[in-house]
């Protein structure tokens, strides 16, 4: 039962569901805050519309990207989707004037190792978090530049843990695929060995038939041919018939050996 569950919940599916759950949780506080504060102000209405668009765009893009996670077969289109996903996460921070976008960047960190190399993924993650610094400086928190940098690096530190978790999940998926490949090769090798064993056994039997029956039948044919010259009357007819049957039997044995 546990084996079947592990098969259904592979690393790709777990990352997909965990990311979607985190995405939904990020939307709850913003919806609650705007509902409590009202939306009469036009500036707030515009900010809310931008947040909604970027938030929904992140969810749709994440479903699209996470649904294609695999160990092999990456394409440039995956990088484009990843870029748009990062932009939508940063936009959530700018429109909400909060660090919620950094939380979404942590979600992205979990799938970075599946799309980019280890070094490129780390660089992508750090740059994404640094791009949120203006929100901490100009937003409601009014942090200094140094404080905003520390805040971004704090989120980057959490993202590093998520990134490593995603990288380990990818390594496990790679090892599992390699194990499946090796098992398939092992099964093929066993089947080939079994077939070779059958072929070897057929060859051994054919050699024995040829060495034993073939030589004896040849000697029998020669003796019957001599007997045919030495006998007369009805006996000679029986000898010739036996000679013909012996030659037919030798032909059948050779055909069986050849097959």
């Amino acid at each position: 039962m546990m084996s079947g569950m592990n098969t259904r919940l592979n690393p790709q599916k777990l990352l997909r569901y965990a990311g979607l759950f985190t995405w939904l949780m990020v939307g709850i506080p913003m919806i609650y805050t705007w509902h409590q504060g009202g939306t009469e102000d036009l500036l707030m209405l515009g900010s809310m519309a931008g947040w909604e668009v970027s938030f929904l765009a992140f969810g749709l893009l994440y479903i699209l990207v996470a649904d294609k996670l695999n160990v092999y077969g990456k394409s440039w289109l995956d990088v484009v989707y990843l870029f748009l996903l990062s932009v939508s996460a940063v936009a959530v921070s700018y429109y909400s004037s909060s660090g919620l976008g950094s939380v979404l960047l942590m979600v992205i960190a979990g799938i970075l190792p599946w799309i980019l190399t280890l070094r490129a993924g780390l660089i992508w993650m750090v740059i994404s978090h640094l791009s949120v610094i203006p929100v901490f400086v100009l937003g409601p928190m009014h942090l200094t530049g140094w404080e905003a940098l520390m805040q971004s690096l704090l989120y980057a530190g959490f993202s590093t843990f998520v990134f490593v978790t995603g990288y380990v999940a990818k390594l496990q998926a790679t090892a599992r695929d390699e194990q499946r490949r090796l098992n398939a090769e092992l099964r093929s090798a066993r089947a080939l060995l079994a077939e070779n064993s059958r072929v070897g056994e057929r060859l051994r039997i054919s050699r024995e038939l040829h060495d034993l029956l073939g030589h004896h039948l040849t000697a029998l044919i020669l003796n019957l041919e001599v007997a045919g010259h030495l006998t007369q009357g009805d006996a000679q007819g029986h000898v010739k018939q036996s000679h013909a049957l012996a030659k037919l039997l030798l032909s059948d044995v050779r055909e069986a050996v050849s097959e």
Side-chain angles (χ1 to χ4, degrees), residues 41 77 116 126 136 214:
D41 188 81
L77 192 59
L116 304 175
V126 172
F136 299 136

Side-chain angles (χ1 to χ4, degrees), residues 117-189:
T117 62
L118 184 62
R119 177 179 297 180
L122 288 172
I123 294 175
W124 188 293
M125 180 184 65
V126 172
I127 293 176
S128 298
H129 279 285
L130 292 179
S131 63
V132 188
I133 288 179
V135 176
F136 299 136
V137 175
L138 303 176
M141 291 181 284
H142 297 294
L143 301 179
T144 64
W146 177 253
E147 291 172 338
L149 176 61
M150 292 297 99
Q151 185 77 7
S152 293
L153 292 179
L154 176 64
Y155 282 113
F158 290 126
S159 292
T160 301
F161 177 80
V162 179
F163 180 88
V164 172
T165 302
Y167 183 69
V168 171
K170 180 189 175 183
L171 291 180
Q172 290 178 343
T174 304
R176 193 161 46 247
D177 287 350
E178 182 68 14
Q179 185 178 14
R180 291 196 191 99
R181 185 185 65 82
L182 293 176
N183 288 338
E185 291 181 357
L186 180 59
R187 287 192 294 269
S188 299

Side-chain angles (χ1 to χ4, degrees), residues 81-110:
Y81 288 148
L82 180 63
F83 174 77
L84 296 176
L85 189 65
S86 301
V87 170
S88 61
V90 174
V92 167
S93 271
Y94 275 87
Y95 283 113
S96 63
S97 298
S98 68
L100 291 177
S102 297
V103 179
L104 296 179
L105 290 176
M106 293 168 58
V107 174
I108 297 176

Side-chain angles (χ1 to χ4, degrees), residues 177-209:
D177 287 350
E178 182 68 14
Q179 185 178 14
R180 291 196 191 99
R181 185 185 65 82
L182 293 176
N183 288 338
E185 291 181 357
L186 180 59
R187 287 192 294 269
S188 299
R190 286 177 177 174
L192 184 60
L193 287 174
E195 181 63 24
N196 288 338
S197 177
R198 287 192 293 269
V199 171
E201 184 65 15
R202 293 192 188 107
L203 182 60
R204 183 187 65 81
I205 294 173
S206 67
R207 285 174 177 172
E208 290 183 356
L209 287 173

Side-chain angles (χ1 to χ4, degrees), residues 18-94:
L20 289 175
F21 177 78
T22 305
W23 169 69
L24 291 173
M25 293 302 100
V26 166
I28 292 177
M30 288 307 304
I31 294 175
Y32 176 78
T33 300
W34 270 318
H35 177 72
Q36 290 295 106
T39 57
E40 293 80 5
D41 188 81
L42 291 178
L43 182 60
M44 181 177 290
L45 280 172
S47 179
M48 185 175 183
W51 178 87
E52 288 175 344
V53 171
S54 56
F55 180 75
L56 292 176
F58 181 92
L60 294 175
L61 287 168
Y62 184 82
I63 293 174
L64 184 62
V65 173
D67 190 55
K68 298 171 58 180
L69 291 181
N70 57 76
V71 179
Y72 311 104
K74 305 175 187 64
S75 65
W76 63 270
L77 192 59
D78 296 326
V79 180
V80 173
Y81 288 148
L82 180 63
F83 174 77
L84 296 176
L85 189 65
S86 301
V87 170
S88 61
V90 174
V92 167
S93 271
Y94 275 87

